[in-house]
Amino acid sequence: MLNGSAVALDVPSGITLLALLRDHLGLTGSKPGCEIGECGACSVIVDGQVVNSCLMLAPQVHGRTVITIEGIHAPDGGPNDLQRALVEHGAVQCGYCTPGMVMAGEALLARTLTPTREEIQTAIAGNLCRCTGYHQIVAAIEAAAARRVQEAAR
Ligand code: FES
Ligand code: FES
């Protein structure tokens, strides 16, 4: 499953998941940064875990559930609460790291809506941002978590 839809296709066995997404499926939200597993710009969620799609071969996701940044949005198709929080907190500057940060944040918030600051820092530890200094990103994830707790209490 890819972003909630079943996908069946033949792919060259040697290509990465990142190449499959970008070059074969037109899903260019996952970014090629270092392409050696160090920057997190290519992060996607596979079976609930954040992975670097530049390090995973495309055939490895056969039969698994993959979510990319294109699969993260509000019910109306616009930005969701985490994406809005990132903008509101000034956590999107050049934006190159942002898709990966969203994926790391979503994977964390799927596990807990009450993450500690340390847990947030750990969750985004594999995602490099050259622009923000990270404080805004951590604050945005905290804010999104708090909003989801409020929503859940309604
Ligand atoms: S592009 Fe995959 S970790 Fe940097
Ligand atoms: S906003 Fe530029 S790298 Fe993070």
Side-chain angles (χ1 to χ4, degrees):
M1 297 287 280
L2 174 60
N3 295 333
S5 299
V7 175
L9 63 161
D10 289 326
V11 295
S13 60
I15 67 167
T16 65
L17 176 56
L18 179 62
L20 172 69
L21 294 170
R22 292 180 57 86
D23 302 337
H24 294 256
L25 296 171
L27 299 175
T28 56
S30 305
K31 299 302 180 200
C34 64
E35 298 193 62
I36 55 171
E38 292 187 350
C39 74
C42 65
S43 298
V44 300
I45 297 174
V46 177
D47 291 343
Q49 303 292 320
V50 178
V51 303
N52 292 323
S53 62
C54 70
L55 292 185
M56 185 170 261
L57 291 174
Q60 290 180 278
V61 297
H62 178 71
R64 302 173 76 179
T65 298
V66 179
I67 304 173
T68 70
I69 187 64
E70 288 85 357
I72 304 293
H73 49 74
D76 67 359
N80 77 356
D81 49 2
L82 175 56
Q83 291 161 329
R84 289 200 312 274
L86 286 162
V87 173
E88 289 162 6
H89 285 78
V92 180
Q93 293 185 23
C94 83
Y96 205 80
C97 72
T98 306
M101 290 292 183
V102 169
M103 302 315 290
E106 288 292 348
L108 173 67
L109 296 181
R111 293 195 300 276
T112 175
L113 289 182
T114 54
T116 63
R117 184 157 290 191
E118 191 176 34
E119 285 173 324
I120 296 172
Q121 289 167 339
T122 299
I124 63 169
N127 296 74
L128 301 183
C129 177
R130 292 175 297 182
C131 306
T132 66
Y134 300 100
H135 298 294
Q136 300 95 317
I137 295 168
V138 171
I141 295 173
E142 282 180 334
R147 278 186 202 168
R148 290 187 191 186
V149 168
Q150 283 179 350
E151 288 290 323
R154 281 188 186 172

